[in-house]
Amino acid sequence: MKLKEKVLLLLKTREGEFLSGQELAEQLEVTRAGIWKAIKALQEEGYPIEAITNRGYALQSMPDILSAVGIKQELLKENQYLHVEVEKQIDSTNTRLKQMVTEGEHRDMVLLAEEQTQGRGRFGRAFFSPYGTGLYMSFLLHPQLQYREGELLTISAAVAVAKAIEKISGEEAQIKWVNDIWMRGRKIAGILTEASTSLESGQLEYAIIGIGINVTEPAQGFPEELKDIAHSVFPKAIKKENLRNQLAGEIINQFMSCYGEIRERKFLEEYKKRSFVVGKDISVLRMGQKRNAKALEVDDQCHLKVQYEDGTIEYLSSGEVSIRV
């Protein structure tokens, strides 16, 4: 943990209370000059830290700025072992984690960013990731799963994200098969799972589960091509302390609960309950071809059972569907 994060943690623990530079320096075993630099850095990032001569420093509130400290404080005791990192700007949290693995990273961890310059979704699509209004996070995990079971990670993540969003926002969140989260009839979040597999055992060596959420609408709105597709958890800008840290922490807690019982698939019924494509007329897009069908059910393998217009039945394990209006 960086010094400024340690300072922030102490100030957050005693929010609203003044701590002298000397007291902070003694507790963290650094110089007062180091404390002063850390305070200035936090103030420049937007933390409302009041500094009064002969009294010290006090954090007046916890603003909506992503921080490892803010997220860790939201985690349940059993999830505190996870390493959490936050970057201001990054190309893609998934891409960066893959680079870290090649550089020797082996811990289970979560990487978050305030902004992605090359955010990615499924099928190589770009994921709009502006600064300060979204939640862009990726898990690096080492599951004891076979390759064919990897889709369980995506399914459990979808359930976790939907439940977390619902808890924080108070509004219903649904799942569009297989990995999109919708609210009020439009997409507000997506999930991208990538993994490396041992050729000998067929077991996953590691998995990266990327989650992108539009928390609030960007000040300039969504790009023209997304205006009729994308939505946000909170449709209007709101001022709420520690909002995205709380949401990130809740997602981690919900997902790790599912992850701990992933082979039992206890999350499957929740996934089915939240799936809103069942019973709908849909279009199935695969390999550049589109076929009309009706979505019949999600089975116990998380496959989507569909019936095409010619009467044939198929169980989809991958692909893309859209609801026909």
Short mmCIF file of all heavy atoms in Angstrom, two decimals, residues 127-192:
data_model
loop_
_atom_site.label_atom_id
_atom_site.label_comp_id
_atom_site.label_asym_id
_atom_site.label_seq_id
_atom_site.Cartn_x
_atom_site.Cartn_y
_atom_site.Cartn_z
N PHE A 127 -15.57 -0.86 -25.56
CA PHE A 127 -16.48 -0.56 -24.46
C PHE A 127 -16.19 0.87 -24.01
O PHE A 127 -15.10 1.18 -23.54
CB PHE A 127 -16.28 -1.53 -23.29
CG PHE A 127 -17.32 -1.38 -22.21
CD1 PHE A 127 -18.49 -2.11 -22.26
CD2 PHE A 127 -17.13 -0.48 -21.16
CE1 PHE A 127 -19.46 -1.97 -21.26
CE2 PHE A 127 -18.08 -0.32 -20.17
CZ PHE A 127 -19.25 -1.07 -20.22
N PHE A 128 -17.16 1.75 -24.18
CA PHE A 128 -17.03 3.17 -23.83
C PHE A 128 -16.75 3.31 -22.35
O PHE A 128 -17.55 2.89 -21.51
CB PHE A 128 -18.32 3.89 -24.22
CG PHE A 128 -18.30 5.38 -23.99
CD1 PHE A 128 -17.30 6.17 -24.56
CD2 PHE A 128 -19.27 6.00 -23.22
CE1 PHE A 128 -17.29 7.55 -24.36
CE2 PHE A 128 -19.27 7.37 -23.02
CZ PHE A 128 -18.27 8.14 -23.59
N SER A 129 -15.59 3.90 -22.00
CA SER A 129 -15.12 3.90 -20.61
C SER A 129 -14.61 5.27 -20.19
O SER A 129 -13.42 5.46 -19.92
CB SER A 129 -14.00 2.86 -20.43
OG SER A 129 -14.33 1.62 -20.99
N PRO A 130 -15.48 6.29 -20.14
CA PRO A 130 -15.03 7.65 -19.78
C PRO A 130 -14.63 7.78 -18.32
O PRO A 130 -14.99 6.93 -17.49
CB PRO A 130 -16.25 8.51 -20.10
CG PRO A 130 -17.41 7.58 -19.89
CD PRO A 130 -16.93 6.23 -20.36
N TYR A 131 -13.91 8.84 -18.01
CA TYR A 131 -13.37 9.05 -16.67
C TYR A 131 -14.48 9.37 -15.66
O TYR A 131 -15.36 10.19 -15.91
CB TYR A 131 -12.36 10.21 -16.69
CG TYR A 131 -11.67 10.43 -15.36
CD1 TYR A 131 -10.50 9.75 -15.04
CD2 TYR A 131 -12.21 11.30 -14.42
CE1 TYR A 131 -9.88 9.93 -13.83
CE2 TYR A 131 -11.59 11.49 -13.20
CZ TYR A 131 -10.43 10.81 -12.91
OH TYR A 131 -9.82 10.98 -11.69
N GLY A 132 -14.40 8.70 -14.52
CA GLY A 132 -15.14 9.13 -13.35
C GLY A 132 -16.62 8.80 -13.28
O GLY A 132 -17.27 9.10 -12.27
N THR A 133 -17.20 8.18 -14.32
CA THR A 133 -18.64 7.91 -14.29
C THR A 133 -18.97 6.43 -14.34
O THR A 133 -20.13 6.04 -14.19
CB THR A 133 -19.35 8.60 -15.47
OG1 THR A 133 -18.84 8.08 -16.71
CG2 THR A 133 -19.12 10.10 -15.44
N GLY A 134 -17.96 5.60 -14.56
CA GLY A 134 -18.20 4.16 -14.67
C GLY A 134 -17.41 3.37 -13.66
O GLY A 134 -16.65 3.92 -12.84
N LEU A 135 -17.61 2.07 -13.70
CA LEU A 135 -16.85 1.15 -12.87
C LEU A 135 -16.27 0.11 -13.81
O LEU A 135 -17.00 -0.67 -14.42
CB LEU A 135 -17.76 0.48 -11.84
CG LEU A 135 -17.09 -0.31 -10.71
CD1 LEU A 135 -16.13 0.57 -9.92
CD2 LEU A 135 -18.15 -0.90 -9.79
N TYR A 136 -14.94 0.13 -13.96
CA TYR A 136 -14.24 -0.77 -14.87
C TYR A 136 -13.29 -1.60 -14.02
O TYR A 136 -12.31 -1.08 -13.49
CB TYR A 136 -13.49 0.02 -15.94
CG TYR A 136 -14.27 1.23 -16.43
CD1 TYR A 136 -13.77 2.52 -16.25
CD2 TYR A 136 -15.52 1.08 -17.02
CE1 TYR A 136 -14.48 3.63 -16.67
CE2 TYR A 136 -16.25 2.19 -17.43
CZ TYR A 136 -15.73 3.46 -17.26
OH TYR A 136 -16.46 4.56 -17.66
N MET A 137 -13.61 -2.87 -13.88
CA MET A 137 -12.87 -3.71 -12.94
C MET A 137 -12.69 -5.10 -13.51
O MET A 137 -13.51 -5.61 -14.26
CB MET A 137 -13.59 -3.77 -11.60
CG MET A 137 -15.02 -4.31 -11.68
SD MET A 137 -15.96 -4.12 -10.13
CE MET A 137 -15.07 -5.21 -9.03
N SER A 138 -11.58 -5.74 -13.13
CA SER A 138 -11.30 -7.10 -13.57
C SER A 138 -10.75 -7.92 -12.42
O SER A 138 -9.90 -7.45 -11.66
CB SER A 138 -10.29 -7.11 -14.72
OG SER A 138 -10.82 -6.50 -15.88
N PHE A 139 -11.24 -9.15 -12.30
CA PHE A 139 -10.73 -10.11 -11.33
C PHE A 139 -9.66 -10.97 -12.00
O PHE A 139 -9.82 -11.38 -13.15
CB PHE A 139 -11.84 -11.06 -10.87
CG PHE A 139 -12.89 -10.45 -10.00
CD1 PHE A 139 -13.95 -9.74 -10.57
CD2 PHE A 139 -12.87 -10.61 -8.62
CE1 PHE A 139 -14.95 -9.20 -9.78
CE2 PHE A 139 -13.86 -10.07 -7.82
CZ PHE A 139 -14.90 -9.35 -8.41
N LEU A 140 -8.59 -11.25 -11.29
CA LEU A 140 -7.63 -12.27 -11.67
C LEU A 140 -7.75 -13.38 -10.65
O LEU A 140 -7.47 -13.18 -9.46
CB LEU A 140 -6.20 -11.73 -11.68
CG LEU A 140 -5.08 -12.78 -11.86
CD1 LEU A 140 -5.23 -13.52 -13.18
CD2 LEU A 140 -3.71 -12.12 -11.75
N LEU A 141 -8.17 -14.57 -11.10
CA LEU A 141 -8.40 -15.69 -10.20
C LEU A 141 -7.79 -16.97 -10.77
O LEU A 141 -7.47 -17.04 -11.96
CB LEU A 141 -9.91 -15.90 -9.98
CG LEU A 141 -10.66 -14.72 -9.34
CD1 LEU A 141 -12.16 -14.95 -9.41
CD2 LEU A 141 -10.21 -14.51 -7.90
N HIS A 142 -7.66 -17.95 -9.91
CA HIS A 142 -7.05 -19.22 -10.31
C HIS A 142 -8.00 -20.36 -9.92
O HIS A 142 -7.76 -21.11 -8.98
CB HIS A 142 -5.68 -19.38 -9.63
CG HIS A 142 -4.75 -18.26 -9.95
ND1 HIS A 142 -4.79 -17.04 -9.30
CD2 HIS A 142 -3.76 -18.16 -10.88
CE1 HIS A 142 -3.86 -16.24 -9.81
NE2 HIS A 142 -3.23 -16.90 -10.76
N PRO A 143 -9.10 -20.48 -10.66
CA PRO A 143 -10.13 -21.46 -10.31
C PRO A 143 -9.73 -22.89 -10.63
O PRO A 143 -9.01 -23.15 -11.60
CB PRO A 143 -11.32 -21.02 -11.17
CG PRO A 143 -10.69 -20.36 -12.36
CD PRO A 143 -9.45 -19.69 -11.84
N GLN A 144 -10.21 -23.81 -9.82
CA GLN A 144 -9.99 -25.23 -10.07
C GLN A 144 -11.13 -25.74 -10.96
O GLN A 144 -12.00 -26.48 -10.54
CB GLN A 144 -9.95 -25.99 -8.75
CG GLN A 144 -8.85 -25.56 -7.81
CD GLN A 144 -7.46 -25.81 -8.41
OE1 GLN A 144 -7.15 -26.92 -8.84
NE2 GLN A 144 -6.63 -24.78 -8.42
N LEU A 145 -11.09 -25.31 -12.20
CA LEU A 145 -12.15 -25.65 -13.15
C LEU A 145 -11.55 -26.15 -14.46
O LEU A 145 -10.46 -25.74 -14.86
CB LEU A 145 -13.01 -24.41 -13.47
CG LEU A 145 -13.85 -23.81 -12.34
CD1 LEU A 145 -14.50 -22.52 -12.82
CD2 LEU A 145 -14.90 -24.79 -11.84
N GLN A 146 -12.29 -27.02 -15.12
CA GLN A 146 -11.94 -27.43 -16.47
C GLN A 146 -12.36 -26.34 -17.44
O GLN A 146 -13.24 -25.52 -17.14
CB GLN A 146 -12.62 -28.75 -16.82
CG GLN A 146 -12.13 -29.94 -16.01
CD GLN A 146 -10.67 -30.27 -16.31
OE1 GLN A 146 -10.29 -30.46 -17.46
NE2 GLN A 146 -9.85 -30.31 -15.27
N TYR A 147 -11.74 -26.34 -18.60
CA TYR A 147 -12.02 -25.29 -19.59
C TYR A 147 -13.51 -25.19 -19.89
O TYR A 147 -14.06 -24.09 -19.98
CB TYR A 147 -11.25 -25.58 -20.88
CG TYR A 147 -11.60 -24.65 -22.02
CD1 TYR A 147 -11.13 -23.34 -22.03
CD2 TYR A 147 -12.43 -25.07 -23.06
CE1 TYR A 147 -11.47 -22.47 -23.06
CE2 TYR A 147 -12.78 -24.22 -24.08
CZ TYR A 147 -12.30 -22.92 -24.08
OH TYR A 147 -12.65 -22.06 -25.09
N ARG A 148 -14.17 -26.34 -20.05
CA ARG A 148 -15.59 -26.32 -20.43
C ARG A 148 -16.47 -25.74 -19.32
O ARG A 148 -17.64 -25.40 -19.56
CB ARG A 148 -16.06 -27.74 -20.76
CG ARG A 148 -16.01 -28.71 -19.60
CD ARG A 148 -16.48 -30.10 -19.98
NE ARG A 148 -16.44 -31.04 -18.88
CZ ARG A 148 -15.36 -31.69 -18.49
NH1 ARG A 148 -14.22 -31.52 -19.15
NH2 ARG A 148 -15.41 -32.53 -17.47
N GLU A 149 -15.92 -25.62 -18.11
CA GLU A 149 -16.68 -25.04 -17.00
C GLU A 149 -16.45 -23.54 -16.86
O GLU A 149 -17.05 -22.89 -16.00
CB GLU A 149 -16.30 -25.73 -15.69
CG GLU A 149 -16.57 -27.22 -15.65
CD GLU A 149 -16.06 -27.87 -14.38
OE1 GLU A 149 -14.84 -27.77 -14.11
OE2 GLU A 149 -16.87 -28.47 -13.66
N GLY A 150 -15.60 -22.99 -17.71
CA GLY A 150 -15.24 -21.59 -17.59
C GLY A 150 -16.41 -20.64 -17.71
O GLY A 150 -16.41 -19.55 -17.11
N GLU A 151 -17.44 -21.04 -18.46
CA GLU A 151 -18.60 -20.17 -18.63
C GLU A 151 -19.33 -19.92 -17.31
O GLU A 151 -20.06 -18.94 -17.17
CB GLU A 151 -19.56 -20.76 -19.66
CG GLU A 151 -20.14 -22.10 -19.27
CD GLU A 151 -20.91 -22.76 -20.39
OE1 GLU A 151 -20.73 -22.37 -21.56
OE2 GLU A 151 -21.69 -23.68 -20.10
N LEU A 152 -19.11 -20.81 -16.33
CA LEU A 152 -19.72 -20.60 -15.02
C LEU A 152 -19.24 -19.30 -14.38
O LEU A 152 -19.96 -18.68 -13.59
CB LEU A 152 -19.42 -21.78 -14.10
CG LEU A 152 -20.01 -23.14 -14.50
CD1 LEU A 152 -19.53 -24.22 -13.54
CD2 LEU A 152 -21.52 -23.08 -14.52
N LEU A 153 -18.02 -18.90 -14.69
CA LEU A 153 -17.48 -17.65 -14.15
C LEU A 153 -18.27 -16.46 -14.67
O LEU A 153 -18.60 -15.53 -13.93
CB LEU A 153 -16.01 -17.50 -14.52
CG LEU A 153 -15.06 -18.55 -13.91
CD1 LEU A 153 -13.69 -18.49 -14.57
CD2 LEU A 153 -14.94 -18.34 -12.40
N THR A 154 -18.58 -16.47 -15.97
CA THR A 154 -19.36 -15.39 -16.55
C THR A 154 -20.77 -15.35 -15.98
O THR A 154 -21.29 -14.28 -15.63
CB THR A 154 -19.44 -15.55 -18.08
OG1 THR A 154 -18.12 -15.58 -18.62
CG2 THR A 154 -20.21 -14.40 -18.71
N ILE A 155 -21.39 -16.53 -15.87
CA ILE A 155 -22.75 -16.61 -15.36
C ILE A 155 -22.82 -16.13 -13.91
O ILE A 155 -23.71 -15.34 -13.54
CB ILE A 155 -23.26 -18.07 -15.45
CG1 ILE A 155 -23.28 -18.55 -16.90
CG2 ILE A 155 -24.65 -18.18 -14.82
CD1 ILE A 155 -24.18 -17.78 -17.81
N SER A 156 -21.88 -16.59 -13.08
CA SER A 156 -21.89 -16.18 -11.68
C SER A 156 -21.59 -14.69 -11.54
O SER A 156 -22.15 -14.02 -10.66
CB SER A 156 -20.90 -17.01 -10.87
OG SER A 156 -19.59 -16.89 -11.39
N ALA A 157 -20.72 -14.17 -12.40
CA ALA A 157 -20.42 -12.73 -12.36
C ALA A 157 -21.66 -11.91 -12.72
O ALA A 157 -21.91 -10.86 -12.12
CB ALA A 157 -19.27 -12.41 -13.30
N ALA A 158 -22.43 -12.38 -13.70
CA ALA A 158 -23.65 -11.67 -14.09
C ALA A 158 -24.63 -11.60 -12.92
O ALA A 158 -25.23 -10.54 -12.66
CB ALA A 158 -24.30 -12.36 -15.29
N VAL A 159 -24.78 -12.70 -12.20
CA VAL A 159 -25.66 -12.72 -11.04
C VAL A 159 -25.15 -11.76 -9.97
O VAL A 159 -25.91 -10.98 -9.39
CB VAL A 159 -25.77 -14.15 -10.47
CG1 VAL A 159 -26.49 -14.14 -9.12
CG2 VAL A 159 -26.51 -15.05 -11.45
N ALA A 160 -23.85 -11.80 -9.72
CA ALA A 160 -23.25 -10.95 -8.69
C ALA A 160 -23.43 -9.47 -9.01
O ALA A 160 -23.78 -8.67 -8.14
CB ALA A 160 -21.76 -11.28 -8.53
N VAL A 161 -23.18 -9.11 -10.26
CA VAL A 161 -23.32 -7.70 -10.67
C VAL A 161 -24.77 -7.24 -10.54
O VAL A 161 -25.05 -6.16 -10.02
CB VAL A 161 -22.80 -7.50 -12.10
CG1 VAL A 161 -23.13 -6.10 -12.61
CG2 VAL A 161 -21.29 -7.73 -12.16
N ALA A 162 -25.70 -8.07 -11.00
CA ALA A 162 -27.12 -7.70 -10.92
C ALA A 162 -27.56 -7.51 -9.48
O ALA A 162 -28.25 -6.53 -9.14
CB ALA A 162 -27.97 -8.77 -11.61
N LYS A 163 -27.16 -8.42 -8.61
CA LYS A 163 -27.56 -8.32 -7.20
C LYS A 163 -26.93 -7.11 -6.52
O LYS A 163 -27.58 -6.42 -5.73
CB LYS A 163 -27.18 -9.60 -6.47
CG LYS A 163 -28.00 -10.82 -6.88
CD LYS A 163 -27.53 -12.09 -6.17
CE LYS A 163 -27.85 -12.08 -4.70
NZ LYS A 163 -27.53 -13.38 -4.05
N ALA A 164 -25.67 -6.84 -6.85
CA ALA A 164 -24.98 -5.70 -6.24
C ALA A 164 -25.60 -4.38 -6.69
O ALA A 164 -25.83 -3.48 -5.88
CB ALA A 164 -23.49 -5.73 -6.60
N ILE A 165 -25.86 -4.28 -7.98
CA ILE A 165 -26.48 -3.05 -8.51
C ILE A 165 -27.85 -2.83 -7.88
O ILE A 165 -28.21 -1.71 -7.50
CB ILE A 165 -26.59 -3.13 -10.04
CG1 ILE A 165 -25.21 -2.96 -10.68
CG2 ILE A 165 -27.56 -2.08 -10.58
CD1 ILE A 165 -25.18 -3.17 -12.17
N GLU A 166 -28.61 -3.89 -7.76
CA GLU A 166 -29.94 -3.79 -7.17
C GLU A 166 -29.86 -3.34 -5.71
O GLU A 166 -30.66 -2.52 -5.26
CB GLU A 166 -30.63 -5.14 -7.27
CG GLU A 166 -32.14 -5.10 -7.10
CD GLU A 166 -32.79 -6.37 -7.57
OE1 GLU A 166 -32.96 -6.56 -8.78
OE2 GLU A 166 -33.13 -7.20 -6.69
N LYS A 167 -28.88 -3.87 -4.98
CA LYS A 167 -28.74 -3.50 -3.57
C LYS A 167 -28.35 -2.04 -3.41
O LYS A 167 -28.87 -1.34 -2.54
CB LYS A 167 -27.69 -4.39 -2.90
CG LYS A 167 -27.52 -4.11 -1.42
CD LYS A 167 -26.59 -5.11 -0.75
CE LYS A 167 -26.43 -4.84 0.73
NZ LYS A 167 -25.56 -5.83 1.40
N ILE A 168 -27.44 -1.55 -4.26
CA ILE A 168 -26.97 -0.17 -4.13
C ILE A 168 -27.97 0.84 -4.68
O ILE A 168 -28.15 1.91 -4.11
CB ILE A 168 -25.61 0.00 -4.85
CG1 ILE A 168 -24.53 -0.89 -4.20
CG2 ILE A 168 -25.16 1.46 -4.84
CD1 ILE A 168 -24.23 -0.56 -2.76
N SER A 169 -28.64 0.47 -5.78
CA SER A 169 -29.54 1.43 -6.43
C SER A 169 -30.98 1.33 -5.96
O SER A 169 -31.75 2.29 -6.07
CB SER A 169 -29.51 1.22 -7.95
OG SER A 169 -30.15 0.00 -8.30
N GLY A 170 -31.37 0.15 -5.46
CA GLY A 170 -32.76 -0.04 -5.07
C GLY A 170 -33.69 -0.34 -6.23
O GLY A 170 -34.91 -0.42 -6.05
N GLU A 171 -33.12 -0.52 -7.43
CA GLU A 171 -33.93 -0.82 -8.62
C GLU A 171 -33.60 -2.20 -9.15
O GLU A 171 -32.49 -2.71 -8.96
CB GLU A 171 -33.67 0.21 -9.72
CG GLU A 171 -34.20 1.60 -9.42
CD GLU A 171 -34.12 2.49 -10.65
OE1 GLU A 171 -34.69 2.12 -11.70
OE2 GLU A 171 -33.46 3.54 -10.56
N GLU A 172 -34.56 -2.78 -9.87
CA GLU A 172 -34.38 -4.12 -10.41
C GLU A 172 -33.33 -4.14 -11.52
O GLU A 172 -33.30 -3.27 -12.39
CB GLU A 172 -35.71 -4.64 -10.98
CG GLU A 172 -35.63 -6.06 -11.52
CD GLU A 172 -36.92 -6.53 -12.15
OE1 GLU A 172 -37.73 -5.67 -12.58
OE2 GLU A 172 -37.14 -7.76 -12.22
N ALA A 173 -32.47 -5.14 -11.49
CA ALA A 173 -31.47 -5.35 -12.55
C ALA A 173 -31.70 -6.74 -13.14
O ALA A 173 -31.84 -7.72 -12.40
CB ALA A 173 -30.05 -5.25 -11.98
N GLN A 174 -31.75 -6.82 -14.46
CA GLN A 174 -32.01 -8.08 -15.15
C GLN A 174 -30.81 -8.50 -15.98
O GLN A 174 -29.87 -7.72 -16.19
CB GLN A 174 -33.25 -7.94 -16.06
CG GLN A 174 -34.54 -7.65 -15.30
CD GLN A 174 -35.70 -7.46 -16.25
OE1 GLN A 174 -35.73 -6.53 -17.04
NE2 GLN A 174 -36.68 -8.36 -16.16
N ILE A 175 -30.84 -9.74 -16.45
CA ILE A 175 -29.73 -10.29 -17.23
C ILE A 175 -30.20 -10.66 -18.62
O ILE A 175 -31.19 -11.37 -18.77
CB ILE A 175 -29.14 -11.54 -16.55
CG1 ILE A 175 -28.62 -11.19 -15.15
CG2 ILE A 175 -28.01 -12.12 -17.39
CD1 ILE A 175 -28.21 -12.40 -14.33
N LYS A 176 -29.50 -10.16 -19.62
CA LYS A 176 -29.76 -10.56 -21.01
C LYS A 176 -28.72 -11.61 -21.35
O LYS A 176 -27.52 -11.33 -21.31
CB LYS A 176 -29.65 -9.36 -21.95
CG LYS A 176 -29.77 -9.72 -23.43
CD LYS A 176 -29.68 -8.48 -24.29
CE LYS A 176 -29.58 -8.83 -25.77
NZ LYS A 176 -28.25 -9.39 -26.13
N TRP A 177 -29.18 -12.80 -21.67
CA TRP A 177 -28.27 -13.91 -21.97
C TRP A 177 -27.25 -13.46 -23.00
O TRP A 177 -27.59 -12.84 -24.00
CB TRP A 177 -29.08 -15.10 -22.51
CG TRP A 177 -28.29 -16.35 -22.69
CD1 TRP A 177 -28.07 -17.32 -21.76
CD2 TRP A 177 -27.61 -16.77 -23.88
NE1 TRP A 177 -27.30 -18.32 -22.30
CE2 TRP A 177 -26.99 -18.00 -23.60
CE3 TRP A 177 -27.44 -16.22 -25.15
CZ2 TRP A 177 -26.25 -18.70 -24.54
CZ3 TRP A 177 -26.69 -16.90 -26.10
CH2 TRP A 177 -26.10 -18.13 -25.79
N VAL A 178 -25.95 -13.61 -22.76
CA VAL A 178 -25.47 -14.43 -21.66
C VAL A 178 -24.80 -13.58 -20.59
O VAL A 178 -24.67 -14.01 -19.45
CB VAL A 178 -24.48 -15.49 -22.23
CG1 VAL A 178 -23.31 -14.79 -22.91
CG2 VAL A 178 -23.94 -16.43 -21.20
N ASN A 179 -24.42 -12.35 -20.95
CA ASN A 179 -23.54 -11.63 -20.01
C ASN A 179 -23.79 -10.14 -19.90
O ASN A 179 -22.92 -9.40 -19.42
CB ASN A 179 -22.08 -11.84 -20.43
CG ASN A 179 -21.78 -11.15 -21.76
OD1 ASN A 179 -22.67 -10.98 -22.59
ND2 ASN A 179 -20.54 -10.75 -21.96
N ASP A 180 -24.94 -9.65 -20.32
CA ASP A 180 -25.24 -8.23 -20.22
C ASP A 180 -26.24 -7.97 -19.11
O ASP A 180 -27.18 -8.75 -18.91
CB ASP A 180 -25.82 -7.70 -21.54
CG ASP A 180 -24.79 -7.65 -22.66
OD1 ASP A 180 -23.58 -7.64 -22.35
OD2 ASP A 180 -25.19 -7.62 -23.84
N ILE A 181 -26.05 -6.86 -18.41
CA ILE A 181 -26.97 -6.45 -17.36
C ILE A 181 -27.79 -5.27 -17.87
O ILE A 181 -27.24 -4.32 -18.42
CB ILE A 181 -26.22 -6.04 -16.07
CG1 ILE A 181 -25.16 -7.10 -15.71
CG2 ILE A 181 -27.20 -5.82 -14.93
CD1 ILE A 181 -25.70 -8.47 -15.48
N TRP A 182 -29.10 -5.37 -17.68
CA TRP A 182 -30.01 -4.34 -18.18
C TRP A 182 -30.82 -3.74 -17.04
O TRP A 182 -31.14 -4.42 -16.06
CB TRP A 182 -30.98 -4.94 -19.20
CG TRP A 182 -30.38 -5.14 -20.57
CD1 TRP A 182 -29.13 -5.58 -20.88
CD2 TRP A 182 -31.04 -4.93 -21.82
NE1 TRP A 182 -28.96 -5.66 -22.24
CE2 TRP A 182 -30.11 -5.27 -22.84
CE3 TRP A 182 -32.31 -4.52 -22.19
CZ2 TRP A 182 -30.42 -5.18 -24.20
CZ3 TRP A 182 -32.63 -4.42 -23.54
CH2 TRP A 182 -31.69 -4.74 -24.53
N MET A 183 -31.15 -2.47 -17.21
CA MET A 183 -32.09 -1.77 -16.33
C MET A 183 -32.95 -0.87 -17.21
O MET A 183 -32.45 -0.26 -18.16
CB MET A 183 -31.37 -0.91 -15.28
CG MET A 183 -30.58 -1.70 -14.24
SD MET A 183 -29.70 -0.61 -13.07
CE MET A 183 -31.06 -0.04 -12.05
N ARG A 184 -34.23 -0.84 -16.91
CA ARG A 184 -35.15 0.03 -17.64
C ARG A 184 -35.10 -0.18 -19.16
O ARG A 184 -35.21 0.77 -19.93
CB ARG A 184 -34.87 1.50 -17.33
CG ARG A 184 -34.85 1.82 -15.83
CD ARG A 184 -34.50 3.28 -15.55
NE ARG A 184 -33.75 3.35 -14.31
CZ ARG A 184 -32.44 3.40 -14.26
NH1 ARG A 184 -31.71 3.40 -15.36
NH2 ARG A 184 -31.81 3.45 -13.10
N GLY A 185 -34.87 -1.41 -19.55
CA GLY A 185 -34.94 -1.75 -20.97
C GLY A 185 -33.70 -1.47 -21.78
O GLY A 185 -33.72 -1.61 -23.01
N ARG A 186 -32.58 -1.13 -21.12
CA ARG A 186 -31.34 -0.89 -21.86
C ARG A 186 -30.13 -1.43 -21.09
O ARG A 186 -30.20 -1.64 -19.88
CB ARG A 186 -31.15 0.60 -22.15
CG ARG A 186 -32.00 1.11 -23.31
CD ARG A 186 -31.61 2.51 -23.72
NE ARG A 186 -32.16 3.51 -22.83
CZ ARG A 186 -31.88 4.82 -22.91
NH1 ARG A 186 -31.05 5.25 -23.84
NH2 ARG A 186 -32.40 5.67 -22.06
N LYS A 187 -29.04 -1.61 -21.82
CA LYS A 187 -27.83 -2.19 -21.23
C LYS A 187 -27.10 -1.18 -20.36
O LYS A 187 -26.85 -0.06 -20.77
CB LYS A 187 -26.91 -2.68 -22.35
CG LYS A 187 -25.59 -3.26 -21.86
CD LYS A 187 -24.74 -3.74 -23.04
CE LYS A 187 -23.37 -4.21 -22.57
NZ LYS A 187 -22.54 -4.73 -23.69
N ILE A 188 -26.74 -1.63 -19.16
CA ILE A 188 -25.95 -0.76 -18.27
C ILE A 188 -24.60 -1.39 -17.91
O ILE A 188 -23.75 -0.72 -17.33
CB ILE A 188 -26.73 -0.37 -17.00
CG1 ILE A 188 -27.26 -1.61 -16.26
CG2 ILE A 188 -27.90 0.55 -17.33
CD1 ILE A 188 -26.37 -2.14 -15.20
N ALA A 189 -24.41 -2.68 -18.24
CA ALA A 189 -23.15 -3.34 -17.88
C ALA A 189 -22.91 -4.56 -18.75
O ALA A 189 -23.85 -5.17 -19.28
CB ALA A 189 -23.16 -3.75 -16.41
N GLY A 190 -21.64 -4.91 -18.91
CA GLY A 190 -21.26 -6.09 -19.66
C GLY A 190 -20.10 -6.81 -18.98
O GLY A 190 -19.39 -6.22 -18.15
N ILE A 191 -19.91 -8.07 -19.32
CA ILE A 191 -18.89 -8.90 -18.71
C ILE A 191 -18.09 -9.60 -19.80
O ILE A 191 -18.66 -10.12 -20.76
CB ILE A 191 -19.52 -9.96 -17.78
CG1 ILE A 191 -20.30 -9.26 -16.65
CG2 ILE A 191 -18.47 -10.89 -17.18
CD1 ILE A 191 -21.27 -10.16 -15.93
N LEU A 192 -16.78 -9.61 -19.64
CA LEU A 192 -15.89 -10.29 -20.59
C LEU A 192 -14.94 -11.19 -19.81
O LEU A 192 -14.13 -10.71 -19.03
CB LEU A 192 -15.08 -9.27 -21.40
CG LEU A 192 -14.02 -9.85 -22.36
CD1 LEU A 192 -14.69 -10.69 -23.45
CD2 LEU A 192 -13.18 -8.74 -22.98
#
